[in-house]
Structure formats: C-alpha cells, structure tokens
Amino acid sequence: GNFNAMIKTIQANEKELNKKVNEKTNEVIRIKNMQFRMSPHYLYNSLNSILALIHKNSDKCERALILLSNNYRFMTEISNKDLIYLKEEWKFMENYLEFEKIRYEKNVSIRLARPSIFPTLLIPPYTLQPIVENSFKHGWGEKDQLSISVKCLSIKNGVKLTFIDDGVGIDSPLKLERTMGNIIERLRYYYKDVSYSFANQEEKGLRIELVFENLKRTS
C-alpha cells in the first residue's frame, strides 16, 4: 500500500513538473516571438530611409548603409539570445540614432550620457532602440526640430535609464502602449524589480524612465 501511494505521488509530481516546464517553454516562445516581430519593423523603416537618400546625398547614403549593415549583423548575432549586455543594446541604439541624424540632418539634436564603464546589466534585445524610435514616430507633430536625450545612470544596486524628447508629447497612453507594453512585458519576465514611468514634460515633450532595482552590485 505504501509503495503504491509513493508511486502515485511521484507520478503526480512528475505531471505537475511537466506542466510547469511546458508553461515556461510556451512563455519563452511567446517572448521570443515578440522580439522577432520588432526586428523586421526596424529593417523596413531603415531601407525606406536609405531609398530617400540615394539621389540626395551619396556620401550619407554610404554611411547609412554601413550603419544598417552593422545593425543587421547585430540583429543576426542576437537573434537566438534571450538577454544581451546593456552596452550591446546601447551601441545598437547609438547606431540607430546616428542613422536618423543622417536622415534628418540639422532638424534633429541628440544627446547621450552614460557611465564610462557600463553597468553589468543584461536586458532583452530591442529594449532601448524602440523607445527612441517612438520619439521620431510621435514627437514631430507640426514641429520641424526635434531634440532627443538618453541617459544611463548607475544607482545603488541598480540602473536608471531616462529618455527625454522635446516633441509634442502624448495625449493618450495608447500611443505608447504598443511599443512600451511589449518592452515592459519582456523586462518583467526576467526582472521582478523593474519600474516604468512616463509623463509629458511641463514645457513640451515626453519623459520615459526605466529603473532596475535590487540587482547585484554593478561595475
């Protein structure tokens, strides 16, 4: 009797374990699919921008192609990675912003600030770049000038990332939902203590903050 009861307990535990493994696997697949959807979106937009440069400025077109090549190599290399170092994602964002600077020339001002040594933070790919892309998508309105700044700050046992633009701001959170909802869902899958906030600036524009807390001591 005791032996049969033990066998039933083992089988029940095995069934429950398999259920949890399947749930975890399905969640990982869903998260990876979210990342995959963001990759082609970036590529198509970049190719359209290069098309517009072909007859306008061949030197800038050449530089834009190099940036796109570097970024496409990055996307290929990280396609099977769940997490990458913050410095890798930052470089991807930097290249994207340089690309947009080529496209918009003097109409765009960009400021980046980060520690001399990056915090040793791992994040999902396509976390930073879509946020700054959102500024280009929704910031212009009737404006002909746009300023964007991104700041990375090491805080006690964590990291704070701040994104500010001086665009038209947002009149509804729904405009951010598609971009930020995707990013936050992926971040919270890996990090319990990550917070997200956004607000229209008092004068003009939008401010977005991502804060990672309770991490191992960063560099």
Side-chain angles (χ1 to χ4, degrees), residues 52-190:
L53 282 170
I54 286 176
H55 301 295
K56 187 179 176 183
N57 189 314
S58 59
D59 289 340
K60 287 184 176 179
C61 184
E62 183 179 349
R63 177 58 186 162
L65 282 168
I66 291 170
L67 288 168
L68 179 59
S69 173
N70 290 339
N71 282 347
Y72 196 72
R73 186 180 302 113
F74 165 85
M75 289 188 284
T76 302
E77 288 173 355
I78 57 89
S79 61
N80 292 317
K81 293 184 180 179
D82 298 325
L83 297 166
I84 60 173
Y85 282 107
L86 174 60
K87 65 180 179 181
E88 296 175 287
E89 177 71 10
W90 183 278
K91 182 61 179 175
F92 178 50
M93 178 193 69
E94 266 188 336
N95 284 352
Y96 170 80
L97 287 170
E98 184 183 347
F99 188 99
E100 293 302 296
K101 181 68 177 170
I102 290 172
R103 179 183 176 190
Y104 290 105
E105 299 178 326
K106 294 178 181 179
N107 296 90
V108 167
S109 171
I110 294 166
R111 288 176 298 165
L112 301 176
R114 63 174 181 83
S116 55
I117 299 176
F118 264 109
T120 53
L121 173 66
L122 288 163
I123 59 174
Y126 312 113
T127 295
L128 309 187
Q129 181 271 332
I131 299 178
V132 293
E133 184 178 359
N134 188 75
S135 292
F136 287 100
K137 267 169 82 175
H138 300 296
W140 289 103
E142 300 298 319
K143 289 167 57 69
D144 56 8
Q145 299 282 330
L146 188 64
S147 175
I148 296 172
S149 72
V150 186
K151 187 181 209 179
C152 174
L153 182 67
S154 290
I155 59 176
K156 186 178 180 181
N157 296 325
V159 179
K160 180 164 78 170
L161 291 154
T162 307
F163 306 79
I164 299 175
D165 68 55
D166 66 349
V168 297
I170 57 167
D171 52 16
S172 167
L174 292 175
K175 287 187 177 179
L176 278 176
E177 188 175 318
R178 186 172 181 182
T179 298
M180 293 309 302
N182 183 314
I183 291 168
I184 296 307
E185 189 174 347
R186 289 185 296 131
L187 286 176
R188 285 181 176 156
Y189 178 76
Y190 296 104

Side-chain angles (χ1 to χ4, degrees), residues 7-71:
I7 292 296
K8 285 181 180 179
T9 300
I10 291 172
Q11 288 174 338
N13 288 341
E14 185 180 11
K15 186 176 180 181
E16 183 63 24
L17 180 61
N18 286 336
K19 181 183 175 184
K20 288 181 179 179
V21 168
N22 288 335
E23 286 174 355
K24 187 81 171 173
T25 301
N26 290 336
E27 183 65 8
V28 169
I29 290 171
R30 192 176 67 81
I31 293 291
K32 294 296 288 182
N33 284 339
M34 289 168 75
Q35 290 180 185
F36 176 76
R37 286 202 302 271
M38 299 182 79
S39 175
H41 167 77
Y42 168 78
L43 181 59
Y44 300 150
N45 284 353
S46 299
L47 288 173
N48 285 334
S49 297
I50 289 173
L51 252 160
L53 282 170
I54 286 176
H55 301 295
K56 187 179 176 183
N57 189 314
S58 59
D59 289 340
K60 287 184 176 179
C61 184
E62 183 179 349
R63 177 58 186 162
L65 282 168
I66 291 170
L67 288 168
L68 179 59
S69 173
N70 290 339
N71 282 347

Side-chain angles (χ1 to χ4, degrees), residues 192-218:
K192 179 183 175 183
D193 294 313
V194 58
S195 61
Y196 153 63
S197 63
F198 70 91
N200 285 324
Q201 299 279 82
E202 284 187 17
E203 294 181 0
K204 54 185 175 179
L206 181 67
R207 178 189 184 96
I208 294 174
E209 278 192 356
L210 288 176
V211 180
F212 298 83
E213 297 179 282
N214 299 321
L215 304 175
K216 289 181 180 179
R217 189 66 187 169
T218 51

